[in-house]
Amino acid sequence: MCWFYARKLEPFMTKERLYVYDTTLRDGQQTQGVQFSLAEKQQIAATLDALGVDYIEGGWPGANPIDSAWFDSQPKLRATFTAFGMTKRAGHSAENDTALNAVVNANTAAVCLVGKTHDFHVETALGITLDENIENIRRSIEHLVSQGREALFDAEHFFDGYKANPDYARACIQAAFAAGARWIVLCDTNGGALPAEVGQIVQEVITAGLPGDHLGIHTHNDTENAVANTLAAIDAGARQIQGTLNGLGERCGNANLTSLLPILKLKEPYRSNYEIGVTDAALRDIKRASRVLDDILNRIPAPQAPFVGASAFVHKAGLHASAILKNPVTYEHIDPALVGNQRDIPMSNQAGQSNLRKRLKEANLIVEKDDPALGRILELVKEREAQGYSYDTAQASFEILARRELGLCPVFFEVKRYKVSVERRKNKYNRMVSLSEALVVVRIDGEKKMSVSESMDELGNDRGPVNALSKALAKDLGPYQAMIDDMNLTDYKVRITQGGTEAVTRVVIDCEDSKGRSWATVGVSANIVDASFEALLDAVNWKLIRDTAPPA
Ligand SMILES: CC(=O)SCCNC(=O)CCNC(=O)[C@H](O)C(C)(C)COP(=O)(O)OP(=O)(O)OC[C@H]1O[C@@H](n2cnc3c(N)ncnc32)[C@H](O)[C@@H]1OP(=O)(O)O
Ligand SMILES: CC(=O)C(=O)O
């Protein structure tokens, strides 16, 4: 069938429904170093709800005070709010099991219980007989169903268990299904399974009588295969997928929904065969959703994250940039806008004239294709990157360098000299404290101006010499002062790198202003203060260039 007809017929094909189950607030919270507050759980749940997942697993009621309070608050969500717990212990009835009671008493529409399905774990971790375990699974699920809840059974260690004793692993999930579980979720708990075996085992489970539209898949990323394993399970017939935002989760994480959702929406055969609750509009918000979690975790977003990472659509190499400018399809597997991301063509030592002209155009610098300045700028960029500069993350410094070479860089002020000192001394409480002071002398319109600044914050803490220097530089720039008053330094990164044969310090500074602009500059020197000052100067100059430019 030709492409045209395939597209035409698409609306008449019936798609199967795939259900998306998010466990960021439960398995995601099992990540080392992660502990969500109540407000953070609320914010993440609202983000997931807007994204369109079908189930939000909120945590384990009764396991800790925050999870209990979160369930007590009975959040209003479009998605099915789900409590997580474990099957009852041997020796207790389901009705009298304290841990199970706490989960049931959370009064959620759905409850997911984890239970053992690997004989080795039943005997080693639980210390009970294989039959007792099956009985615990059966009674626990029956109890949920008798309470009117949608019951899910997380079959822990299912793939390892199936490989060791398939009859027993199957008997466990069949007991849960027969007891009324809506979903049997096959878990690759240790994350060691590979896609081919996941596909085969899911297929065998379905052939043995458990319908695919009652099967879920929960994978861990210990071999970097969580997403691939999830897709293999869908291909074999599973119809619920579990995962987390940004792949958060125990050890190496869970299947990453910020990769899986775009795959299911945009890639064949999933796009044509399956429907999920995530709309096209929600998918365009997935990068933002990913950032919400990073912000909460105070993590720098992973630049190479598929679909949502800052580098996912960055074309650094000259050959790529040249072709991309002719047609983006040459080096992009999807349109970045579909996932709320954007294309970038940075300048660097891997760049050719195509990157360069694109960058210059973005800065409103129109240079003809045969202008010799292009070659000079390219040379200069490559020379300076060899000295330790890095322009692909500091595009404002690149623009200043190009403007200078093109004779289009206004000179707002001239720095005559600067000085920084750091002193350790006793304060009035007889405690040793630091004090950084900076002095900057500039000449503006023939007039010399000297500014001195300390780096003390409101609490009396020293913020360091670079802070003092930036305050002194931005203290009195005469006619330009008002233009830089809304400029904020948002990040400051220092790296020791190789500049030619010597180690040098590279400083990258990120700034933003009240007009919503953000820009980054770079400075390099053997001396950290000089490198910082160079980056600061570029940052101030870039801001003045923008604010003095005539309106477009
Ligand atoms: C694969 C997964 O990721 S499942 C999710 C795991 N998540 C968590 O463990 C986070 C929340 N957990 C907790 O806060 C605590 O572990 C609690 C409150 C649930 C239990 O705490 P404690 O009662 O102190 O038990 P502890 O954590 O030491 O050990 C777990 C107990 O549960 C038993 N258990 C484990 N799995 C199951 C199960 N599926 N069904 C019944 N009992 C189970 C273990 O045998 C052990 O009992 P034992 O101490 O009698 O040997
Ligand atoms: C239940 C679960 O998180 C697991 O088996 O990995």
Side-chain angles (χ1 to χ4, degrees), residues 337-356:
L338 296 172
V339 287
N341 211 338
Q342 61 199 35
R343 177 177 309 130
D344 195 13
I345 300 185
M347 273 311 299
S348 73
N349 66 354
Q350 304 292 312
Q353 295 215 0
S354 303
N355 304 59
L356 181 54

Side-chain angles (χ1 to χ4, degrees), residues 56-76:
I56 295 176
E57 189 173 74
W60 188 324
N64 62 69
I66 291 177
D67 277 13
S68 298
W70 166 228
F71 281 93
D72 284 348
S73 73
Q74 309 238 320
K76 299 273 167 295

Side-chain angles (χ1 to χ4, degrees), residues 160 163 188-194 197 220 222-223 229 251:
D160 295 335
K163 283 185 270 182
D188 180 28
T189 306
N190 293 1
L194 295 177
E197 60 191 359
H220 279 269
D222 301 66
T223 66
N229 285 341
R251 303 183 311 278

Side-chain angles (χ1 to χ4, degrees), residues 26-27 30 84 114 154-157 187-189 218 220 254:
R26 196 275 297 173
D27 216 328
Q30 292 173 214
F84 180 90
V114 63
D154 265 4
E156 197 186 10
H157 296 112
C187 300
D188 180 28
T189 306
H218 174 110
H220 279 269
N254 284 61

Side-chain angles (χ1 to χ4, degrees), residues 96-398:
N96 289 321
D97 185 280
T98 320
L100 187 52
N101 273 342
V103 177
V104 172
N105 290 343
N107 277 323
T108 50
V111 176
C112 180
L113 296 184
V114 63
K116 309 281 184 207
T117 59
H118 188 175
D119 54 4
F120 162 71
H121 285 267
V122 175
E123 283 161 349
T124 312
L126 298 183
I128 58 176
T129 68
L130 301 186
D131 286 345
E132 276 177 313
N133 180 53
I134 291 189
E135 191 56 11
N136 288 346
I137 294 171
R138 189 192 328 276
R139 296 276 182 216
S140 304
I141 298 293
E142 277 172 358
H143 181 54
L144 296 185
V145 176
S146 74
Q147 300 294 307
R149 310 305 168 81
E150 178 178 342
L152 295 93
F153 177 63
D154 265 4
E156 197 186 10
H157 296 112
F158 181 77
F159 292 94
D160 295 335
Y162 188 92
K163 283 185 270 182
N165 184 346
D167 289 342
Y168 185 69
R170 260 197 314 261
C172 292
I173 58 174
Q174 271 155 359
F177 188 56
R182 163 68 185 91
W183 290 104
I184 305 297
V185 184
L186 308 181
C187 300
D188 180 28
T189 306
N190 293 1
L194 295 177
E197 60 191 359
V198 167
Q200 189 186 328
I201 292 172
V202 172
Q203 217 164 43
E204 286 174 18
V205 166
I206 293 172
T207 308
L210 235 154
D213 59 0
H214 287 266
L215 277 185
I217 179 77
H218 174 110
T219 59
H220 279 269
N221 208 26
D222 301 66
T223 66
E224 191 79 322
N225 273 295
V227 166
N229 285 341
T230 305
L231 296 177
I234 297 171
D235 294 345
R239 293 294 172 258
Q240 187 201 93
I241 59 156
Q242 299 207 344
T244 58
L245 272 181
N246 297 347
L248 206 64
E250 183 104 32
R251 303 183 311 278
C252 309
N254 284 61
N256 188 348
L257 288 182
T258 46
S259 296
L260 269 170
L261 298 183
I263 290 172
L264 297 174
K265 289 287 290 176
L266 304 172
K267 297 287 177 180
E268 296 297 358
Y270 307 102
R271 189 181 79 92
S272 296
N273 292 347
Y274 303 105
E275 198 181 328
I276 57 174
V278 178
T279 62
D280 294 345
L283 192 69
R284 285 194 290 276
D285 213 29
I286 196 163
K287 178 176 166 190
R288 196 194 62 80
S290 163
R291 296 295 185 273
V292 166
L293 183 64
D294 283 330
D295 276 354
I296 286 174
L297 296 174
N298 200 17
R299 282 188 177 175
I300 295 169
Q304 287 185 313
F307 298 99
V308 296
S311 301
F313 300 95
V314 171
H315 306 285
K316 184 169 168 183
L319 292 192
H320 296 216
S322 152
I324 279 276
L325 291 173
K326 291 166 189 155
N327 186 338
V329 169
T330 50
Y331 282 91
E332 279 173 0
H333 69 118
I334 59 156
D335 175 355
L338 296 172
V339 287
N341 211 338
Q342 61 199 35
R343 177 177 309 130
D344 195 13
I345 300 185
M347 273 311 299
S348 73
N349 66 354
Q350 304 292 312
Q353 295 215 0
S354 303
N355 304 59
L356 181 54
R357 289 184 52 243
K358 164 91 175 21
R359 272 285 156 199
L360 293 174
K361 194 168 158 213
E362 280 166 8
N364 284 329
L365 298 168
I366 308 300
V367 185
E368 294 306 320
K369 203 170 176 181
D370 49 5
D371 191 322
L374 288 175
R376 289 200 311 273
I377 295 170
L378 215 46
E379 276 301 297
L380 203 54
V381 166
K382 293 189 181 200
E383 230 171 72
R384 286 170 72 90
E385 290 222 340
Q387 291 162 19
Y389 289 83
S390 174
Y391 288 105
D392 61 339
T393 49
Q395 293 294 321
S397 282
F398 158 72

